[in-house]
Amino acid sequence: MTRYLVGGAVRDALLGLPPGDRDHVVVGASVQQMLEAGYRQVGRDFPVFLHPQTREEHALARTERKSGRGYTGFMVHADPSVTLEDDLRRRDFTINAIARAEDGTLVDPFGGVRDLEARVLRHVGEAFVEDPLRVLRAARFMARFAPLGFTVAPDTLALMRQMADGGELATLVPERVWQELAKALRSASPAAFLRTLRAADALRAILPEVDALYGVPQRADYHPEIDSGLHCELVCDMAAQLAAGDDLVGYAALCHDLGKALTPADTLPRHLMHEQRGIAPTLAMSERLKVPAEHRELAVACCREHLNVHRIDELKAATVHELIARCDGFRKPARIDQLATVCEADARGRGGRSQAAYPQAAKLRRLQAAALAIRGDVIAATGVTGPAFGEALRKARIAAIAAA
């Protein structure tokens, strides 16, 4: 049997990026031979094994044939007769279909190295259209690689449009959509994820609440970029810059202005009450995608409170206390830090304002810290109990906020 390093480990090494998981494909071996060599089988749908020493994944070379609708409808064939090229042919993009032999030799039957050098994301073959998840994967790869200058090949984008128009995206289960979205939000440019899906006419099927923002105008004096969809893109990228790798902050940034799509046409380009209107679509999107509760709660808080944080200099101490309490910021202190980060991303995610100062974030954090410094045990030591204790703690925290 012959072993090759494949996929992302080869691609990222050629791009000079830090190595991630190392996956291997094994050619010319059977399940029995792998077990006899000490590998432990872990794959259910197809033969995947863990190396006895390194614990790295090793999969038998395999082919796939479409057998039904959606991304799960595949028949897998793996045996010693399957060649390395057969295995690489079933992969999604040419840059992921490069193998490295143990002596360092590259096996590149589909021109992946050439596409890496040209910074092009290109499908391997026509079988690309058989798996609708690949539309999302293309967008997610662009979220990671667009800052390196990557673009989607025109013929690949055409296939993605064909898949979107054919309704195949409706077969994707919410958990997989969220998985790809979360990875995109942890990447350098979540905006490229949105732009790629929109270019493929797929954003309206995947994230209709976000797609509805495009074409909705905002006041140019506050938003030089004018379009609400473009603002969403800028905010998502700014959030990725301020909180790199944090999909919790990223998701809240994505949702913060969803209410602008629901502004009555006769009030545009003003968006009165958009923070309240945005709660319903945020909840709807979170429910549909089965988003974790922590992400949903922060997104709703940011949607509801971001204008209050922007004008924190105008708020009374008691109002700041109520804001922190509404966000559960006394029980979960990190939430206020996250809210401050999303609000900074909102303020700086505007045309020409990426370097603008946002002192409100530091002020919100400072006022929360002052309130948290009030110790309940000190108040309890005075003999105050029951409802009176809660009121005394509230007043002490408000006084500390006022002093700060």
Side-chain angles (χ1 to χ4, degrees):
M1 60 183 184
T2 309
R3 185 175 71 158
Y4 297 88
L5 185 67
V6 293
V10 180
R11 177 198 66 221
D12 292 351
L14 292 171
L15 287 171
L17 299 175
D21 292 338
R22 288 167 53 88
D23 296 323
H24 303 262
V25 66
V26 180
V27 178
S30 66
V31 171
Q32 189 59 36
Q33 286 174 303
M34 295 294 286
L35 296 175
E36 289 172 356
Y39 289 81
R40 183 166 70 85
Q41 187 169 356
V42 293
R44 290 179 300 173
D45 299 328
F46 46 82
V48 177
F49 305 82
L50 297 183
H51 189 280
Q53 278 82 47
T54 66
R55 317 303 290 170
E56 292 175 349
E57 283 197 359
H58 289 65
L60 293 186
R62 69 183 190 270
T63 59
E64 295 173 348
R65 184 165 58 86
K66 187 73 167 174
S67 61
R69 189 167 166 81
Y71 71 95
T72 58
F74 289 90
M75 291 181 64
V76 174
H77 172 68
D79 70 31
S81 69
V82 178
T83 67
L84 176 61
E85 185 169 332
D86 290 336
D87 184 272
L88 296 176
R89 183 179 286 109
R90 68 174 175 78
R91 296 173 185 267
D92 48 10
F93 304 106
T94 60
I95 63 172
N96 296 331
I98 310 167
R100 187 188 295 276
E102 294 190 76
D103 65 2
T105 303
L106 292 179
V107 182
D108 180 26
F110 304 105
V113 173
R114 180 188 63 235
D115 284 339
L116 279 177
E117 292 169 349
R119 299 296 194 256
V120 172
L121 190 67
R122 188 190 312 278
H123 64 286
V124 170
E126 294 304 309
F128 180 86
V129 299
E130 295 178 350
D131 185 355
L133 187 63
R134 288 175 170 175
V135 174
L136 279 178
R137 282 174 59 81
R140 191 248 295 173
F141 278 124
M142 286 303 295
R144 184 180 179 197
F145 293 135
L148 300 181
F150 273 78
T151 59
V152 180
D155 51 345
T156 302
L157 191 60
L159 288 181
M160 292 165 63
R161 286 200 196 98
Q162 176 185 323
M163 295 158 78
D165 292 345
E168 277 279 301
L169 302 182
T171 66
L172 295 171
V173 297
E175 291 85 354
R176 292 308 301 269
V177 175
W178 168 245
Q179 193 175 61
E180 295 297 323
L181 173 58
K183 288 177 181 177
L185 293 172
R186 293 195 294 270
S187 299
S189 180
F193 177 83
L194 301 177
R195 284 196 298 270
T196 302
L197 287 180
R198 194 156 178 262
D201 200 25
L203 187 61
R204 59 194 175 120
I206 301 297
L207 300 173
E209 297 86 355
V210 177
D211 186 63
L213 291 172
Y214 288 89
V216 177
Q218 304 164 105
R219 285 177 55 180
D221 49 341
Y222 289 118
H223 291 277
E225 72 285 355
I226 299 177
D227 189 283
S228 296
L230 295 182
H231 172 58
C232 181
E233 292 181 8
L234 291 169
V235 175
C236 286
D237 274 5
M238 183 56 65
Q241 181 179 320
L242 296 174
D246 190 336
D247 55 67
L248 184 59
V249 166
Y251 184 68
L254 178 70
C255 295
H256 85 285
D257 261 357
L258 292 183
K260 287 183 176 177
L262 302 176
T263 298
D266 61 351
T267 67
L268 292 174
R270 295 184 304 152
H271 291 277
L272 303 176
M273 305 292 289
H274 76 273
E275 60 273 34
Q276 284 80 19
R277 287 194 182 96
I279 293 173
T282 297
L283 289 173
M285 187 164 78
S286 301
E287 177 69 22
R288 186 180 70 256
L289 299 182
K290 302 189 187 305
V291 170
E294 186 180 21
H295 290 65
R296 180 191 69 237
E297 290 166 7
L298 178 64
V300 168
C302 292
C303 189
R304 184 184 63 230
E305 307 293 351
H306 65 278
L307 292 191
N308 289 328
V309 177
H310 291 339
R311 59 187 187 92
I312 194 168
D313 288 339
E314 304 168 24
L315 303 185
K316 297 177 181 177
T319 307
V320 173
H321 179 277
E322 290 164 11
L323 186 158
I324 295 170
R326 277 196 305 273
C327 296
D328 208 7
F330 293 116
R331 230 168 40 92
K332 300 178 179 177
R335 184 161 290 172
I336 299 303
D337 176 64
Q338 294 156 347
L339 170 64
T341 300
V342 173
C343 291
E344 181 174 354
D346 177 31
R348 294 173 57 189
R350 308 181 188 206
R353 298 185 184 177
S354 63
Q355 301 301 317
Y358 188 71
Q360 294 96 319
K363 183 169 186 176
L364 176 60
R365 294 182 179 111
R366 188 176 74 250
L367 298 184
Q368 181 204 26
L372 288 172
I374 301 300
R375 292 176 50 184
D377 58 344
V378 174
I379 295 174
T382 65
V384 180
T385 60
F389 170 82
E391 181 60 18
L393 180 61
R394 188 183 77 86
K395 287 182 177 178
R397 283 172 168 170
I398 291 172
I401 291 170

